[in-house]
């Protein structure tokens, strides 16, 4: 298959450019009339933040919007659809795909995608975001506990024992997607 990357192949990097290689040569990112390499610049946002595979498409988040990227074959190779705005992922490791659905933490809200982007109503939203050290939001990571149908996001809190000098994650918020319930710790 074709490899798709959100990075440049030399020279200046465009933080909004998706590039993919030729199907026959994963090192060839230069589009020609005889290969399948190509690129697409996303319009909404200033940088690509995260991407995960879900169902029949790849979900790509910029800092401001979420896109769906679908393989369509030659001559265009991939198609891109803007799924929603004002819902960008907070960081590289804040999105997760589970059974074809995608869940992520935004800058002040949580979201899901099951064919439609939705804000996840969160009973602890203000608790989490008001006590998070937002300058370290890029350190947030999420994980999946399949046995309990829970997603947990680990973040740096204002109560961190390391203070504000490069602290590590010390708190979590978890979402049980089977029971639609939230917990903190």
């Amino acid at each position: 298959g074709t490899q798709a990357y959100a990075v440049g192949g030399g020279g200046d990097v465009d933080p909004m450019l998706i590039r993919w290689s030729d199907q026959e040569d994963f090192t060839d990112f230069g589009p020609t009339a005889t290969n399948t390499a190509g690129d697409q610049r996303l319009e909404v946002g200033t940088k690509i933040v995260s991407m995960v595979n879900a169902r029949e498409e790849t979900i790509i988040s910029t800092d401001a919007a979420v896109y769906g990227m679908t393989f369509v074959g030659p001559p265009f190779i991939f198609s891109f659809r803007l799924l929603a705005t004002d819902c960008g992922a907070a960081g590289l490791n804040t999105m997760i795909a589970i059974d074809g659905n995608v869940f992520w933490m935004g800058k002040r809200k949580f979201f899901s995608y099951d064919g439609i982007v939705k804000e996840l109503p969160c009973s602890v939203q203000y608790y989490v975001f008001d006590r998070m050290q937002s300058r370290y939001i890029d350190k947030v990571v999420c994980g999946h506990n399949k046995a309990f149908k829970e997603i947990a996001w680990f973040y740096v809190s204002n109560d961190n024992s390391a203070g504000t000098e490069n602290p590590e994650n010390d708190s979590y918020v978890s979402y049980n997607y089977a029971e639609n319930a939230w917990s903190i710790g």
Side-chain angles (χ1 to χ4, degrees):
T2 299
Q3 297 281 337
Y5 294 98
V7 296
D12 293 335
V13 174
D14 181 342
M16 291 291 286
L17 187 69
I18 299 285
R19 300 180 72 212
W20 57 90
S21 69
D22 178 42
Q23 281 180 299
E24 303 301 320
D25 181 356
F26 296 142
T27 64
D28 184 3
F29 283 82
T32 69
T34 59
N35 75 12
T36 57
D39 59 51
Q40 173 73 40
R41 187 171 198 288
L42 305 180
E43 295 299 318
V44 181
T46 62
K47 66 181 180 177
I48 295 167
V49 175
S50 187
M51 40 194 322
V52 295
N53 291 320
R55 297 183 196 268
E56 309 281 318
E57 60 190 334
T58 299
I59 305 304
I60 303 166
S61 177
T62 70
D63 53 356
V66 174
Y67 287 84
M69 179 176 100
T70 308
F71 180 77
V72 293
F76 300 111
I77 313 303
F78 290 102
S79 79
F80 294 82
R81 332 181 269 141
L82 177 62
L83 301 176
T85 59
D86 297 325
C87 61
L92 176 64
N93 298 306
T94 60
M95 294 184 94
I96 191 165
I98 300 168
D99 299 329
N101 297 327
V102 179
F103 300 88
W104 68 95
M105 175 190 274
K107 292 179 187 84
R108 294 287 302 171
K109 298 176 182 176
F110 294 90
F111 299 93
S112 68
Y113 174 73
D114 62 0
I116 299 171
V117 173
K118 299 177 199 123
E119 181 183 334
L120 281 175
C122 177
S123 56
V124 294
Q125 173 178 334
Y126 296 109
Y127 175 84
V128 171
F129 289 105
D130 288 350
R131 71 186 293 270
M132 179 187 295
Q133 288 193 42
S134 57
R135 70 185 266 209
Y136 294 113
I137 199 166
D138 60 328
K139 287 191 171 196
V140 172
V141 295
C142 68
H144 181 213
N145 185 336
K146 189 172 186 170
F148 292 97
K149 297 184 176 2
E150 287 181 338
I151 305 160
W153 287 270
F154 299 89
Y155 65 93
V156 175
S157 79
N158 289 324
D159 304 328
N160 195 294
S161 61
T164 58
E165 291 305 313
N166 201 24
E168 295 303 324
N169 294 332
D170 65 329
S171 298
Y172 72 86
V173 56
S174 69
Y175 174 64
N176 182 309
Y177 51 88
E179 298 175 17
N180 205 27
W182 293 87
S183 62
I184 53 175

